[in-house]
Amino acid sequence: MGIFKGKKTEETKVKTIGVLTSGGDAPGMNAAVRAVVRTAVHAGCKVIGIRRGYSGLLEEDFTEMTTRSVADIIQRGGTILYTARCAEMMRPEGPEKAAYICRKNGIEALVVIGGDGSYRGAYEISKHGINVVAIPGTIDLDVASSDYTIGFDTALNTAMEAIDRVRDTSASHERCSIIEVMGRKAGHIALWCGIANGAEEILVPERYDYEEQAIIDRIAERKKLGKKLHIIINAEGVGDSNGMAKRIEAATGLETRATIIGYIQRGGSPTCRDRVFASAMGARAVEPIWTSPRRLR
Ligand code: ATP
């Protein structure tokens, strides 16, 4: 969890907080929103729900949240607050305007649920005097300050099950399959699925050296030994899976197909792990805001 302290904090308890979800949606974001709202309301805070991430903050797309407004969402994928990518925040005036809008609306502290980009945005807003607590919510497991990010476990299990299905049909047809999972800049989903699905090759952006010939050679070698099924897990940041499939088929004579799992990995009901982590992080995020703002200094 990231705690970004604003420059100035009143010595009084915070009365109003804002909560938003930002960047790619992740299963468990709703559970985190629910925990933030209920913990804050219980502590006597007013909670402003900010729709569509930083875009909604800059456009003042707000809704007051109560314990009732977060009922029946702990099990739901996506985010009831919607999410967005906001180009304006990347410009120097974006975070300054965000802080101004917070002050104008009486929002004394923000809880931001999102990935590494959202963390950067949170940090930039804090430089303009607003306290921000960031909760890691992304399927990518790539927030440097956190061992876990909400949504990773659900995405992983969804991808793993999808790969099992592709494996069944690949085995029946004696094919080579390249299965592309999400992770443009982080190969955690590919790595975990690669191990869990017993893949022959795992291509991750952190390590892949683009030695495609070496992969082809290994497939040809295994084929000679009588192996009929070859599974390659490819993180989306590594090359073009369809092109790679064509080249492997041409070089080895083995029928090769590419399957891109895509957004299926981002949706769906969060696993138990994601619900519990999201609930714990959501509750914990509110604590430093309302118990003692001085701690954030
Ligand atoms: P995911 O990893 O799941 O895609 P993310 O939070 O990393 O989530 P990004 O699109 O990288 O997703 O970031 C979300 C938003 O955060 C951006 O659209 C932008 O508004 C804001 N943001 C990102 N980087 C910065 C930055 N350096 N300064 C200010 N705001 C930023």
Side-chain angles (χ1 to χ4, degrees), residues 150-170:
I150 297 162
F152 177 65
D153 189 58
T154 308
L156 204 54
N157 280 287
T158 304
M160 184 188 74
E161 284 172 22
I163 294 165
D164 279 345
R165 285 168 168 75
V166 176
R167 191 188 175 95
D168 286 347
T169 181
S170 291

Side-chain angles (χ1 to χ4, degrees), residues 22-25 54 84-87 89-90 95 114-121 124 137-140 142:
S22 167
D25 64 302
Y54 294 127
R85 313 226 186 239
C86 173
M89 271 293 286
M90 310 292 276
D116 59 328
S118 304
Y119 266 59
R120 275 189 279 275
E124 293 302 322
T138 169
I139 64 167
D140 293 335
D142 64 346

Side-chain angles (χ1 to χ4, degrees), residues 2-202:
I3 300 177
F4 304 106
K5 56 181 183 174
K7 277 186 199 151
K8 290 177 192 147
T9 307
E10 294 300 318
E11 299 268 337
T12 53
K13 275 188 181 176
V14 165
K15 296 281 189 308
T16 304
I17 69 165
V19 59
L20 61 83
T21 50
S22 167
D25 64 302
M29 278 183 162
N30 279 328
V33 170
R34 172 181 176 273
V36 167
V37 171
R38 291 204 168 159
T39 310
V41 168
H42 182 72
C45 276
K46 180 176 161 185
V47 184
I48 306 286
I50 300 160
R51 297 191 194 91
R52 299 181 296 105
Y54 294 127
S55 298
L57 177 57
L58 296 179
E59 290 162 18
E60 300 181 55
D61 189 356
F62 299 156
T63 178
E64 188 170 340
M65 302 192 83
T66 64
T67 53
R68 285 302 90 215
S69 57
V70 290
D72 196 29
I73 64 166
I74 196 168
Q75 79 286 10
R76 281 168 58 187
T79 161
I80 61 160
L81 285 177
Y82 305 97
T83 186
R85 313 226 186 239
C86 173
E88 198 180 343
M89 271 293 286
M90 310 292 276
R91 295 194 282 272
E93 62 276 17
E96 190 179 353
K97 184 176 166 191
Y100 163 77
I101 287 169
C102 285
R103 265 190 287 275
K104 185 180 138 197
N105 288 278
I107 298 172
E108 297 156 279
L110 271 181
V111 177
V112 168
I113 306 165
D116 59 328
S118 304
Y119 266 59
R120 275 189 279 275
Y123 177 60
E124 293 302 322
I125 294 174
S126 76
K127 287 183 186 169
H128 296 281
I130 299 293
N131 287 329
V132 189
V133 179
I135 298 177
T138 169
I139 64 167
D140 293 335
L141 194 69
D142 64 346
V143 175
S145 58
S146 183
D147 289 339
Y148 189 69
T149 62
I150 297 162
F152 177 65
D153 189 58
T154 308
L156 204 54
N157 280 287
T158 304
M160 184 188 74
E161 284 172 22
I163 294 165
D164 279 345
R165 285 168 168 75
V166 176
R167 191 188 175 95
D168 286 347
T169 181
S170 291
S172 305
H173 288 269
E174 302 178 35
R175 275 184 195 140
C176 172
S177 270
I178 302 175
I179 303 157
E180 186 174 309
V181 296
M182 281 188 159
R184 196 173 295 282
K185 293 183 196 145
H188 298 285
I189 295 177
L191 180 64
W192 280 65
C193 283
I195 295 168
N197 293 98
E200 275 67 38
E201 305 277 345
I202 307 170

Side-chain angles (χ1 to χ4, degrees), residues 40 56-57 59 61-62 88 117 136 207 225 246 256 263 276 279:
L57 177 57
E59 290 162 18
D61 189 356
F62 299 156
E88 198 180 343
R207 284 196 60 169
L225 295 171
K246 285 193 187 116
T256 305
Y263 288 124
V276 171
S279 300

